[in-house]
Amino acid sequence: MSFGQVSIHASKLCRPCLKSILRQQRQRLAYSTASSAGCSKAFLSEKTYFWDNKVRLAHGTRRREWQAEDKSAKAREVTVERVWRPAIPDTEDLIDQEPREADVLPHRRRKRRKSLLRNGDSVEEEKPLPPDSSSQLSDLSARSPTNTLRQRALAYLALSKPRLTFLIVLTTTASYSLFPVAVSPLASSVDLSPWTLLTLMTGTALASASANAFNMLLEPSYDAQMTRTRTRPLVKGLLTSRAAGIFAAASGVAGVALLNYGVNPTTAFLGAANIFIYAGIYTPLKRLSVWNTWAGAVVGGLPPLMGWAAAAGQAIPHSDLCWQDLLFPADGSSVGGWLLAALLFAWQFPHFWALAYPIRSEYAAAGYRMLVSYDVRKTARIAMRYSVAMFPICVGLSYTGVTNWAFVPASSVVNTWLVRESWRYLRFEGAKGSARGLFWASVWHLPVILVLAMILKKGLWERFVQGGLNEEELRAWQVVEEEHHDDEESEV
């Protein structure tokens, strides 16, 4: 086989060496070797290969001595058959080709992008976002031994979309902990129970896994057409549709039952509604209307309400509470829960459209009706609008007594970062890395905001410093306990 001006005797090189030559040729490095039919020239062929690639030999032979002998060997070039496939392309053709993006070293790619941005040019190819957790777990499952517990466990875990499920559990837990209730020293029945919190987290995770499994079950043929989703477990055949359906139904029933008996019926109803909206409305709506993003945002806004309803059911000492008392009480104490739901609803738009921008053409080719595939500028305006809405929502949390007023300036720093990236996304319409910048800003924005809200919860540090309840809170709890005692006597 020929490499430019010199041929190589394939029998003189092992298979790993030939693979190495092919790999280096794709990086536009030309190699030369000598070939000879005689056994006495085999060593010379190996020496030429290593010398031309600047690799020192262990012995002390000088290069000039064997280069003189190499001239006669080059005159007797021979053509040999290929001993393995695929065929190695000619070096002259490789020199004329531009190197692929994947073959360029990372620091050179970054330098090229910075140079283009500095000159005002746009980077032609948007760097793809990292694969989702389902695809990564599916790859691990595919590499595991067949029909083993590890393979099955990884496949089912991929079916539940663990990162998305973790985010949903996080928002539910944050809302539960932000409910404005003091720890009563008078009656443990009105505490925020750790057991209730554990039941809430487990039930929410099971409900989320059910919704995600139903989502994958309904669209494997569409997932197979997109680079980000074509390695999911059903697409790769790691699980059958029957097994996925049983897993989705079992986890949904178990999650809703756990929320119903371990928390309260209102929270269980919200969990079941989340499964129905995500699998029954959002999933088919993706192929029918661009309004599917708003339906998906509703799904994201329900978990904070679940956490708020769970905490309200524990904090208010009445056993016959209905859903109106938890979500729409007469005193308006549920406004904080609805503000947290609004925070999650607004967050969905900058996050999802920044995520979908690099694969917008794949969405369109797969038959999904995503607004980002038709009008990027319109999605940028909407993302900007909802990013700005984060400021009044955070102010509302402090105004309603969920957090103290220190939360307003602290959250404004993070919200300003999100608005800045949304402005860049609007200005460049997703180009010049603006979509990627908005995506990572949204990824960090939500957990930082929720953690800040929990740290700056109203009254948390005052009670910590004082070592318990103040006199006003103690009198309030005494009144609540007396009313509860009178209600029990009247029932008897």
Side-chain angles (χ1 to χ4, degrees):
M1 52 188 73
S2 176
F3 292 87
Q5 299 178 351
V6 184
S7 297
I8 178 175
H9 199 297
S11 62
K12 305 301 180 184
L13 293 177
C14 62
R15 181 166 178 161
C17 289
L18 290 175
K19 288 184 178 181
S20 176
I21 293 172
L22 177 61
R23 184 167 59 253
Q24 296 296 335
Q25 279 204 344
R26 285 199 297 262
Q27 298 179 8
R28 302 174 64 191
L29 297 176
Y31 291 89
S32 301
T33 58
S35 63
S36 176
C39 297
S40 60
K41 298 298 181 181
F43 178 70
L44 180 62
S45 176
E46 295 175 4
K47 285 178 59 176
T48 309
Y49 170 82
F50 287 107
W51 271 115
D52 285 354
N53 292 281
K54 301 184 180 358
V55 180
R56 279 190 175 275
L57 298 180
H59 52 78
T61 305
R62 280 194 266 178
R63 187 174 184 180
R64 289 182 180 179
E65 296 177 1
W66 58 264
Q67 274 187 340
E69 300 178 5
D70 187 42
K71 293 180 181 179
S72 60
K74 289 182 178 179
R76 301 193 307 271
E77 294 178 0
V78 293
T79 304
V80 295
E81 295 180 355
R82 295 182 177 91
V83 296
W84 71 291
R85 294 182 181 274
I88 301 177
D90 205 16
T91 306
E92 296 178 357
D93 298 334
L94 289 171
I95 293 176
D96 296 335
Q97 297 177 1
E98 288 294 330
R100 299 184 306 171
E101 181 74 11
D103 294 331
V104 181
L105 294 176
H107 71 280
R108 296 190 181 276
R109 289 200 299 264
R110 291 193 296 268
K111 184 177 179 180
R112 175 177 173 270
R113 286 195 178 92
K114 290 180 180 179
S115 177
L116 290 174
L117 294 176
R118 200 163 40 243
N119 297 333
D121 299 331
S122 61
V123 181
E124 296 179 0
E125 184 179 354
E126 183 75 13
K127 187 177 180 181
L129 294 170
D132 59 3
S133 58
S134 295
S135 300
Q136 293 175 340
L137 289 170
S138 296
D139 292 337
L140 290 175
S141 177
R143 291 195 296 267
S144 301
T146 309
N147 295 328
T148 59
L149 179 61
R150 172 183 169 82
Q151 185 198 31
R152 292 287 181 178
L154 289 173
Y156 282 117
L157 186 60
L159 202 63
S160 65
K161 298 183 182 178
R163 287 182 186 169
L164 180 58
T165 298
F166 174 77
L167 180 63
I168 291 174
V169 173
L170 172 65
T171 57
T172 306
T173 306
S175 180
Y176 181 87
S177 63
L178 286 172
F179 186 86
V181 59
V183 180
S184 173
L186 302 177
S188 60
S189 61
V190 294
D191 293 352
L192 292 184
S193 169
W195 172 251
T196 303
L197 176 60
L198 179 62
T199 307
L200 173 67
M201 294 171 61
T202 307
T204 303
L206 289 172
S208 175
S210 173
N212 294 326
F214 276 124
N215 172 261
M216 292 192 193
L217 183 64
L218 293 174
E219 49 186 21
S221 59
Y222 301 96
D223 287 342
Q225 303 178 48
M226 301 181 61
T227 56
R228 187 171 173 81
T229 58
R230 63 188 174 195
T231 58
R232 285 179 173 176
L234 290 177
V235 179
K236 298 187 71 171
L238 300 174
L239 294 172
T240 63
S241 299
R242 181 173 178 271
I246 293 175
F247 172 80
S251 57
V253 171
V256 173
L258 195 60
L259 292 174
N260 182 60
Y261 295 104
V263 186
N264 56 60
T266 302
T267 306
F269 173 78
L270 292 175
N274 223 358
I275 298 175
F276 173 75
I277 296 174
Y278 189 73
I281 297 179
Y282 168 71
T283 299
L285 197 61
K286 289 195 293 185
R287 298 183 294 274
L288 300 177
S289 172
V290 296
W291 289 97
N292 63 81
T293 308
W294 279 262
V298 171
V299 174
L302 285 180
L305 286 180
M306 294 172 60
W308 195 270
Q314 288 291 308
I316 303 176
H318 292 281
S319 58
D320 56 346
L321 292 174
C322 61
W323 62 273
Q324 293 96 334
D325 298 322
L326 300 179
L327 299 179
F328 302 99
D331 58 356
S333 59
S334 65
V335 176
W338 287 100
L339 284 172
L340 291 172
L343 178 73
L344 267 294
F345 179 87
W347 177 84
Q348 305 289 328
F349 295 94
H351 174 74
F352 174 75
W353 279 328
L355 171 68
Y357 175 81
I359 53 175
R360 61 194 183 281
S361 57
E362 295 186 15
Y363 273 120
Y368 291 117
R369 296 182 60 84
M370 298 296 176
L371 184 59
V372 71
S373 301
Y374 306 102
D375 193 343
V376 176
R377 186 162 186 82
K378 189 171 184 178
T379 62
R381 290 198 302 267
I382 298 174
M384 183 69 182
R385 195 177 305 150
Y386 281 106
S387 298
V388 174
M390 296 292 180
F391 287 95
I393 292 174
C394 291
V395 173
L397 289 174
S398 297
Y399 181 78
T400 56
V402 178
T403 63
N404 57 42
W405 285 103
F407 176 70
V408 175
S411 62
S412 297
V413 176
V414 189
N415 292 334
T416 301
W417 179 31
L418 184 66
V419 171
R420 175 183 175 273
E421 296 299 332
S422 297
W423 166 249
R424 291 187 67 249
Y425 182 71
L426 175 62
R427 179 184 177 187
F428 300 115
E429 297 185 8
K432 297 186 178 182
S434 58
R436 188 176 183 84
L438 178 58
F439 171 77
W440 287 113
S442 64
V443 166
W444 286 102
H445 172 271
L446 184 61
V448 171
I449 286 291
L450 293 178
V451 170
L452 283 175
M454 288 187 286
I455 293 175
L456 300 175
K457 180 180 178 181
K458 186 175 182 179
L460 176 64
W461 294 103
E462 289 82 354
R463 286 191 294 271
F464 177 78
V465 173
Q466 295 175 4
L469 301 176
N470 55 36
E471 295 182 0
E472 182 180 353
E473 291 172 332
L474 186 60
R475 287 195 298 269
W477 276 112
Q478 289 175 347
V479 171
V480 170
E481 288 298 317
E482 291 176 358
E483 293 178 354
H484 181 51
H485 183 69
D486 294 339
D487 292 340
E488 289 181 347
E489 290 182 351
S490 61
E491 290 176 359
V492 173

